Amino acid sequence: MERDSLSSNNTNKQSLTPGDLTWDRFIYPRGTKSQKTIDGYIEAIAIGAQFPPVKIQKVFNYPDADGGQTTEATLIIDGIHRWSAFKEKGIKEILAIEFKNQPIDYQENKTALLLESAKCNTSHGDRLSPNDKKRIARDIASSDPECRYTESSLAEKLGVSQQTVNAWITDIRTRQRTNRASIIIRLSRLGWTQEKIAETTKMTQGRVAQIINNTSFGKINNLLAQGRDMEYIASHYNMELALAWALRLEGKTDQEKFKELEWGLRTWDQWNFNECDERFGDDWPGRIPAQLVAHTLFYFTKPGDLVLDPMAGGGVVPDVCLAFERKCHAFDLAPSDSRPEIEYHHWDPQKGTWPVTKKPDLIFFDPPYYTKKAKEYEEKANANTPSISSYTKEDYERFFKNFFTLAHKNVKPATTLAFLNADWRDFESTPALEVKSCKSITIFDYHRLLSETGWEIIHRIECPLSSERLTGNMVQNMQDKRILGTIGRTLLIAKKVLTQT
Ligand SMILES: C[S@@+](CC[C@H](N)C(=O)[O-])C[C@H]1O[C@@H](n2cnc3c(N)ncnc32)[C@H](O)[C@@H]1O
């Protein structure tokens, strides 16, 4: 609903029972009701005073008392003190006029109703205090990141000057602008063209260019010098922590970046990282440690290289690319709203679609480890575009054969493929001696599929999973049944086999 489309009044008077009306705290413009005013009205009623009708609005899509289902309601938008006095006095009928004579969608019109309520309260009765008006202006600005309500429209409704509204909400609007700016800067640093950023953020290309060229976060070093931590700095600029780190680390060497992030650089092909680093990526089923990605970038790419992450999940690869100044193109079938850098794509390599426009230097491929976390991935997918974790074993293996073939066809001769996976067996219920190779998928199978599709393995890096995720009881049960657990996880690094000419 557009900003001013609710402004006309309908003056049909009607009688209602006070108990039928709902007092909605969100659209009530004051901090509290005034008992003094109510008592004054009760005295006036006692001596036969007449009051103007209250103003109401019928709504649908209104949350019920438990906040669960939605329902219909008649909201009181002006005359709370009169209505309270009538209720306290036990008066059965109250005269009301409707704001709009049609029921309206509450969720879509919440802010407009609050403004109408505020407008009524600027001109009569207990006028709104400056503090109430300020709170309303700030609530509206916070819930309106697209800035549909301008300073002048708020000033007009609240009966104050534009400068006053400006002073009340300037910090909110600055953060909102910076937030949008931070999204644009993130995408630009990951290698997105201005045209594509404009299309995604629904801004003009000129505005995008202006933000990329003129936004400066020069004060980060000052804030660090004042002893502020990175969480403070990120929230000060209303940007994600990963971007704040990227700005802080800009221009440093990879080794200096490892040091500042307090990540010890591993020299050998055994990368144990028990915990995920909360600074990079979102909480996501199967999230991998940022350090694992950083080591892959360190050994197999250089700054400015382009990384493709076909199944990006919670975005740890783009975040680490940002910090290590690599470009990144990321996809997933369930991209989250907060991560515009992850584009929707459902990989079905049998169809032969390769959605990537530029040839990557590295593919960092972290697919589901067959049915591990299948339930979580399936909740994010849908029946027509399923997660590969719901495939049969044969289809799952076929998927990789087709994917590796498609990738081989579409990348540069020098592109590196980093493929992360783990042995899969039904290990929780099968004793070690009874495991059948036809029921398992192991790293040897992926090795075979890569070889069959024109890739050769140049490194095998062990990145074990943490064993702590199993409870004491589970471990006891495994030992009793002589089940051998799997915590191995392997990163295979492959290059294209080049045909000799
Ligand atoms: C192991 S998770 C990736 C985790 C990610 N590296 C992280 O650290 O957050 C695998 C991802 O593959 C995605 N996926 C599974 N099948 C897919 C398909 N056919 N096309 C696109 N994405 C798929 C899932 O949605 C899931 O996010």
Side-chain angles (χ1 to χ4, degrees):
M1 174 81 46
E2 281 305 304
R3 176 169 17 108
D4 278 319
S5 58
L6 291 179
S7 56
S8 66
N9 283 345
N10 177 308
T11 48
N12 284 343
K13 281 190 197 155
Q14 53 184 287
S15 283
L16 290 168
T17 312
D20 291 343
L21 297 177
T22 302
W23 176 34
D24 180 292
R25 299 301 291 246
F26 178 82
I27 65 166
Y28 183 58
R30 296 172 205 286
T32 50
K33 279 193 284 190
S34 157
Q35 192 57 44
K36 207 170 135 212
T37 308
I38 297 170
D39 291 344
Y41 286 169
I42 291 173
E43 274 176 36
I45 293 167
I47 55 165
Q50 295 292 313
F51 288 96
V54 299
K55 195 180 252 184
I56 58 165
Q57 180 58 50
K58 291 199 176 83
V59 293
F60 57 91
N61 205 7
Y62 189 72
D64 70 7
D66 306 327
Q69 301 291 312
T70 54
T71 179
E72 290 176 0
T74 305
L75 306 182
I76 175 155
I77 56 177
D78 181 40
I80 295 291
H81 291 114
R82 278 165 276 160
W83 170 69
S84 302
F86 275 47
K87 274 208 309 183
E88 281 192 31
K89 200 77 181 110
I91 292 175
K92 297 269 178 293
E93 269 192 358
I94 184 165
L95 214 53
I97 53 165
E98 287 181 309
F99 171 40
K100 298 290 284 179
N101 58 1
Q102 296 282 332
I104 59 174
D105 185 328
Y106 172 77
Q107 298 300 340
E108 276 184 18
N109 295 295
K110 258 168 105 170
T111 305
L113 287 167
L114 168 60
L115 269 182
E116 177 61 21
S117 184
K119 193 177 170 197
C120 296
N121 278 274
T122 55
S123 53
H124 69 77
D126 266 3
R127 286 165 199 248
L128 288 180
S129 70
N131 265 347
D132 284 334
K133 292 183 184 179
K134 181 176 174 184
R135 187 180 49 77
I136 294 165
R138 291 183 66 80
D139 282 355
I140 291 174
S142 302
S143 63
D144 174 36
E146 293 90 28
C147 307
R148 286 183 308 131
Y149 290 94
T150 60
E151 275 82 339
S152 70
S153 71
L154 290 174
E156 188 230 320
K157 300 271 184 194
L158 295 172
V160 294
S161 73
Q162 197 174 321
Q163 284 90 323
T164 306
V165 173
N166 203 22
W168 284 341
I169 65 171
T170 185
D171 60 321
I172 297 173
R173 289 293 188 226
T174 306
R175 259 190 286 116
Q176 284 166 337
R177 273 193 289 274
T178 311
N179 190 28
R180 274 189 300 169
S182 83
I183 290 170
I184 286 160
I185 286 161
R186 181 153 52 115
L187 295 176
S188 163
R189 283 174 175 243
L190 289 173
W192 283 42
T193 61
Q194 292 185 1
E195 192 184 353
K196 196 167 158 195
I197 298 175
E199 208 177 287
T200 303
T201 57
K202 304 203 169 38
M203 289 176 105
T204 64
Q205 215 172 306
R207 181 77 188 113
V208 168
Q210 214 179 15
I211 289 171
I212 292 171
N213 298 329
N214 301 339
T215 307
S216 132
F217 298 99
K219 285 202 214 117
I220 282 195
N221 285 335
N222 293 351
L223 292 169
L224 285 170
Q226 287 164 20
R228 300 293 191 182
D229 62 18
M230 291 304 288
E231 281 77 15
Y232 174 90
I233 293 172
S235 75
H236 177 79
Y237 289 113
N238 200 22
M239 63 173 63
E240 327 71 46
L241 197 51
L243 178 59
W245 271 101
L247 296 167
R248 166 172 168 176
L249 298 174
E250 190 171 13
K252 307 211 158 141
T253 65
D254 283 352
Q255 275 165 311
E256 287 166 343
K257 291 181 185 194
F258 268 90
K259 231 180 182 159
E260 281 206 36
L261 289 162
E262 297 183 10
W263 290 342
L265 187 51
R266 307 287 201 269
T267 315
W268 315 109
D269 55 2
Q270 187 85 29
W271 298 349
N272 280 57
F273 311 107
N274 260 348
E275 298 293 327
C276 286
D277 189 317
E278 297 294 327
R279 294 173 291 185
F280 300 93
D282 297 336
D283 190 12
W284 193 268
R287 177 189 194 174
I288 53 173
Q291 302 93 305
L292 195 165
V293 179
H295 278 79
T296 312
L297 299 187
F298 178 76
Y299 285 109
F300 302 109
T301 64
K302 47 188 191 325
D305 276 359
L306 175 64
V307 177
L308 164 66
D309 183 355
M311 296 192 181
V316 68
V317 173
D319 275 0
V320 178
C321 284
L322 205 56
F324 281 76
E325 294 175 80
R326 271 60 166 180
K327 311 281 184 229
C328 183
H329 210 157
F331 298 91
D332 202 282
L333 61 76
S336 108
D337 285 349
S338 62
R339 289 195 166 266
E341 76 271 22
I342 303 179
E343 294 175 74
Y344 172 81
H345 185 68
H346 177 251
W347 293 95
D348 183 357
Q350 251 175 317
K351 289 189 183 151
T353 317
W354 185 256
V356 192
T357 41
K358 249 181 115 189
K359 295 191 172 177
D361 299 288
L362 171 79
I363 303 177
F364 189 99
F365 194 14
D366 174 34
Y369 311 156
Y370 192 33
T371 58
K372 216 169 167 195
K373 310 238 178 256
K375 198 165 156 271
E376 287 97 322
Y377 299 138
E378 277 150 39
E379 272 166 17
K380 293 179 186 288
N382 72 48
N384 297 330
T385 51
S387 161
I388 58 169
S389 49
S390 66
Y391 287 1
T392 61
K393 182 172 172 284
E394 289 67 35
D395 284 348
Y396 178 81
E397 287 191 20
R398 191 172 309 117
F399 173 92
F400 285 105
K401 188 153 188 180
N402 290 330
F403 184 93
F404 295 149
T405 305
L406 192 63
H408 192 280
K409 206 167 92 190
N410 285 286
V411 298
K412 306 190 236 190
T415 295
T416 306
L417 172 61
F419 178 75
L420 188 65
N421 219 305
D423 286 354
W424 178 87
R425 339 181 149 80
D426 196 5
F427 75 86
E428 274 169 29
S429 56
T430 312
L433 202 56
E434 289 167 31
V435 163
K436 300 214 168 26
S437 73
C438 64
K439 283 202 171 168
S440 318
I441 306 176
T442 68
I443 290 299
F444 298 112
D445 292 307
Y446 298 110
H447 190 163
R448 174 178 47 80
L449 291 168
L450 282 163
S451 304
E452 285 172 7
T453 53
W455 296 89
E456 60 188 349
I457 313 288
I458 58 164
H459 290 278
R460 196 195 71 235
I461 303 158
E462 296 307 332
C463 318
L465 295 152
S466 159
S467 59
E468 284 161 21
R469 67 209 154 89
L470 296 190
T471 63
N473 276 350
M474 286 160 98
V475 169
Q476 187 59 57
N477 188 32
M478 286 167 69
Q479 290 177 351
D480 292 347
K481 292 190 181 158
R482 295 176 194 259
I483 293 165
L484 182 61
T486 303
I487 55 164
R489 178 174 52 183
T490 307
L491 183 67
L492 295 177
I493 305 293
K495 300 289 281 187
K496 280 172 96 165
V497 180
L498 297 177
T499 39
Q500 310 242 312
T501 49

Short mmCIF file of all heavy atoms in Angstrom, two decimals, residues 284-288 311-316 332-333 345-347 366-368 377 386-388, ligand 1:
data_model
loop_
_atom_site.label_atom_id
_atom_site.label_comp_id
_atom_site.label_asym_id
_atom_site.label_seq_id
_atom_site.Cartn_x
_atom_site.Cartn_y
_atom_site.Cartn_z
N TRP A 284 24.83 -22.67 9.17
CA TRP A 284 24.24 -23.40 8.05
C TRP A 284 24.53 -24.89 8.22
O TRP A 284 25.62 -25.23 8.69
CB TRP A 284 24.90 -22.89 6.75
CG TRP A 284 24.17 -23.31 5.51
CD1 TRP A 284 24.42 -24.44 4.77
CD2 TRP A 284 23.11 -22.63 4.85
NE1 TRP A 284 23.55 -24.50 3.71
CE2 TRP A 284 22.74 -23.39 3.73
CE3 TRP A 284 22.42 -21.45 5.11
CZ2 TRP A 284 21.71 -23.02 2.88
CZ3 TRP A 284 21.39 -21.07 4.25
CH2 TRP A 284 21.05 -21.86 3.15
N PRO A 285 23.59 -25.76 7.87
CA PRO A 285 23.92 -27.18 7.99
C PRO A 285 25.13 -27.53 7.12
O PRO A 285 25.14 -27.23 5.93
CB PRO A 285 22.65 -27.89 7.49
CG PRO A 285 21.75 -26.83 6.94
CD PRO A 285 22.22 -25.50 7.42
N GLY A 286 26.15 -28.10 7.75
CA GLY A 286 27.34 -28.49 6.99
C GLY A 286 28.31 -27.34 6.77
O GLY A 286 29.20 -27.43 5.92
N ARG A 287 28.16 -26.28 7.55
CA ARG A 287 29.08 -25.14 7.42
C ARG A 287 30.53 -25.62 7.65
O ARG A 287 30.78 -26.44 8.53
CB ARG A 287 28.73 -24.13 8.50
CG ARG A 287 29.61 -22.93 8.58
CD ARG A 287 29.24 -22.18 9.84
NE ARG A 287 29.78 -20.86 9.90
CZ ARG A 287 29.48 -20.00 10.86
NH1 ARG A 287 28.64 -20.34 11.82
NH2 ARG A 287 30.01 -18.81 10.87
N ILE A 288 31.45 -25.10 6.86
CA ILE A 288 32.84 -25.53 7.01
C ILE A 288 33.67 -24.40 7.63
O ILE A 288 33.31 -23.23 7.54
CB ILE A 288 33.46 -25.94 5.64
CG1 ILE A 288 33.28 -24.83 4.60
CG2 ILE A 288 32.88 -27.26 5.17
CD1 ILE A 288 34.01 -25.10 3.31
N MET A 311 27.98 -24.63 -4.60
CA MET A 311 26.97 -24.93 -3.55
C MET A 311 27.39 -24.20 -2.28
O MET A 311 27.98 -24.79 -1.38
CB MET A 311 26.87 -26.44 -3.33
CG MET A 311 26.37 -27.17 -4.57
SD MET A 311 25.92 -28.87 -4.22
CE MET A 311 25.41 -29.43 -5.86
N ALA A 312 27.06 -22.91 -2.22
CA ALA A 312 27.69 -22.01 -1.25
C ALA A 312 27.07 -22.02 0.14
O ALA A 312 27.65 -21.48 1.07
CB ALA A 312 27.68 -20.59 -1.81
N GLY A 313 25.88 -22.58 0.32
CA GLY A 313 25.28 -22.70 1.65
C GLY A 313 25.25 -21.38 2.40
O GLY A 313 24.67 -20.39 1.95
N GLY A 314 25.91 -21.34 3.56
CA GLY A 314 25.90 -20.14 4.40
C GLY A 314 26.93 -19.09 4.02
O GLY A 314 27.12 -18.12 4.77
N GLY A 315 27.64 -19.28 2.91
CA GLY A 315 28.46 -18.19 2.38
C GLY A 315 29.85 -18.03 2.97
O GLY A 315 30.44 -16.95 2.87
N VAL A 316 30.40 -19.10 3.52
CA VAL A 316 31.74 -18.94 4.09
C VAL A 316 32.78 -18.68 3.00
O VAL A 316 33.72 -17.89 3.20
CB VAL A 316 32.09 -20.14 5.02
CG1 VAL A 316 32.26 -21.42 4.25
CG2 VAL A 316 33.30 -19.86 5.85
N ASP A 332 23.59 -21.46 -4.99
CA ASP A 332 22.99 -22.51 -4.16
C ASP A 332 21.52 -22.62 -4.56
O ASP A 332 20.96 -21.67 -5.10
CB ASP A 332 23.09 -22.19 -2.66
CG ASP A 332 22.98 -23.45 -1.79
OD1 ASP A 332 21.86 -23.96 -1.59
OD2 ASP A 332 24.03 -23.95 -1.33
N LEU A 333 20.92 -23.77 -4.23
CA LEU A 333 19.48 -23.86 -4.53
C LEU A 333 18.66 -23.16 -3.46
O LEU A 333 17.46 -22.95 -3.63
CB LEU A 333 19.04 -25.33 -4.68
CG LEU A 333 19.18 -26.33 -3.54
CD1 LEU A 333 18.12 -26.14 -2.48
CD2 LEU A 333 19.04 -27.73 -4.12
N HIS A 345 20.73 -21.22 -8.12
CA HIS A 345 20.89 -22.14 -9.25
C HIS A 345 20.71 -23.56 -8.75
O HIS A 345 21.29 -23.94 -7.73
CB HIS A 345 22.27 -22.00 -9.91
CG HIS A 345 22.39 -22.87 -11.14
ND1 HIS A 345 21.68 -22.62 -12.29
CD2 HIS A 345 23.10 -24.00 -11.38
CE1 HIS A 345 21.96 -23.55 -13.19
NE2 HIS A 345 22.83 -24.41 -12.66
N HIS A 346 19.88 -24.30 -9.46
CA HIS A 346 19.74 -25.72 -9.14
C HIS A 346 20.59 -26.49 -10.15
O HIS A 346 20.28 -26.52 -11.34
CB HIS A 346 18.27 -26.13 -9.22
CG HIS A 346 18.10 -27.60 -8.95
ND1 HIS A 346 17.77 -28.51 -9.92
CD2 HIS A 346 18.26 -28.31 -7.80
CE1 HIS A 346 17.71 -29.71 -9.38
NE2 HIS A 346 18.01 -29.61 -8.10
N TRP A 347 21.66 -27.08 -9.65
CA TRP A 347 22.55 -27.83 -10.55
C TRP A 347 21.90 -29.14 -10.95
O TRP A 347 21.53 -29.94 -10.09
CB TRP A 347 23.90 -28.12 -9.89
CG TRP A 347 24.71 -26.89 -9.63
CD1 TRP A 347 24.75 -26.17 -8.47
CD2 TRP A 347 25.59 -26.24 -10.54
NE1 TRP A 347 25.60 -25.10 -8.61
CE2 TRP A 347 26.14 -25.12 -9.87
CE3 TRP A 347 25.98 -26.47 -11.86
CZ2 TRP A 347 27.04 -24.25 -10.47
CZ3 TRP A 347 26.88 -25.60 -12.45
CH2 TRP A 347 27.40 -24.52 -11.77
N ASP A 366 31.92 -27.83 -2.28
CA ASP A 366 31.62 -28.48 -0.99
C ASP A 366 30.16 -28.95 -1.03
O ASP A 366 29.28 -28.33 -0.45
CB ASP A 366 31.84 -27.46 0.14
CG ASP A 366 31.40 -28.03 1.49
OD1 ASP A 366 31.56 -29.23 1.71
OD2 ASP A 366 30.90 -27.24 2.33
N PRO A 367 29.90 -30.07 -1.74
CA PRO A 367 28.51 -30.54 -1.85
C PRO A 367 28.08 -31.31 -0.61
O PRO A 367 28.92 -31.58 0.26
CB PRO A 367 28.59 -31.50 -3.05
CG PRO A 367 29.98 -32.04 -2.98
CD PRO A 367 30.86 -30.95 -2.40
N PRO A 368 26.78 -31.67 -0.50
CA PRO A 368 26.37 -32.54 0.61
C PRO A 368 27.15 -33.84 0.55
O PRO A 368 27.41 -34.36 -0.54
CB PRO A 368 24.89 -32.79 0.32
CG PRO A 368 24.45 -31.67 -0.56
CD PRO A 368 25.65 -31.28 -1.37
N TYR A 377 18.90 -30.17 4.30
CA TYR A 377 18.97 -29.62 2.93
C TYR A 377 17.62 -29.75 2.23
O TYR A 377 17.22 -28.87 1.47
CB TYR A 377 20.06 -30.33 2.11
CG TYR A 377 21.45 -30.16 2.68
CD1 TYR A 377 22.35 -31.22 2.72
CD2 TYR A 377 21.88 -28.93 3.19
CE1 TYR A 377 23.62 -31.08 3.26
CE2 TYR A 377 23.14 -28.79 3.73
CZ TYR A 377 24.01 -29.86 3.77
OH TYR A 377 25.25 -29.72 4.31
N PRO A 386 15.35 -30.81 -6.21
CA PRO A 386 15.80 -31.41 -4.95
C PRO A 386 17.29 -31.23 -4.71
O PRO A 386 18.06 -31.01 -5.65
CB PRO A 386 15.47 -32.89 -5.14
CG PRO A 386 15.51 -33.11 -6.61
CD PRO A 386 15.08 -31.83 -7.25
N SER A 387 17.64 -31.37 -3.44
CA SER A 387 19.06 -31.41 -3.08
C SER A 387 19.61 -32.77 -3.52
O SER A 387 18.90 -33.77 -3.47
CB SER A 387 19.19 -31.24 -1.57
OG SER A 387 20.46 -31.70 -1.16
N ILE A 388 20.88 -32.78 -3.89
CA ILE A 388 21.45 -34.07 -4.33
C ILE A 388 21.52 -35.07 -3.18
O ILE A 388 21.73 -36.25 -3.41
CB ILE A 388 22.84 -33.87 -4.98
CG1 ILE A 388 23.82 -33.21 -4.01
CG2 ILE A 388 22.73 -33.08 -6.27
CD1 ILE A 388 25.26 -33.24 -4.50
C1 LIG B 1 27.68 -28.86 2.51
S1 LIG B 1 26.51 -27.59 2.13
C2 LIG B 1 27.55 -26.21 1.76
C3 LIG B 1 28.03 -25.56 3.01
C4 LIG B 1 28.85 -24.33 2.76
N1 LIG B 1 30.15 -24.63 2.21
C5 LIG B 1 29.01 -23.59 4.10
O1 LIG B 1 30.09 -23.67 4.70
O2 LIG B 1 28.04 -22.98 4.55
C6 LIG B 1 25.92 -28.09 0.55
C7 LIG B 1 24.93 -27.15 -0.13
O3 LIG B 1 24.56 -27.73 -1.39
C8 LIG B 1 23.27 -27.25 -1.73
N2 LIG B 1 22.73 -28.13 -2.81
C9 LIG B 1 22.43 -29.44 -2.75
N3 LIG B 1 22.01 -29.88 -3.96
C10 LIG B 1 22.06 -28.81 -4.80
C11 LIG B 1 21.77 -28.64 -6.18
N4 LIG B 1 21.35 -29.65 -6.98
N5 LIG B 1 21.94 -27.39 -6.73
C12 LIG B 1 22.34 -26.36 -5.96
N6 LIG B 1 22.65 -26.47 -4.65
C13 LIG B 1 22.52 -27.69 -4.07
C14 LIG B 1 22.51 -27.28 -0.42
O4 LIG B 1 21.41 -26.39 -0.43
C15 LIG B 1 23.62 -26.90 0.59
O5 LIG B 1 23.53 -25.54 0.94
#
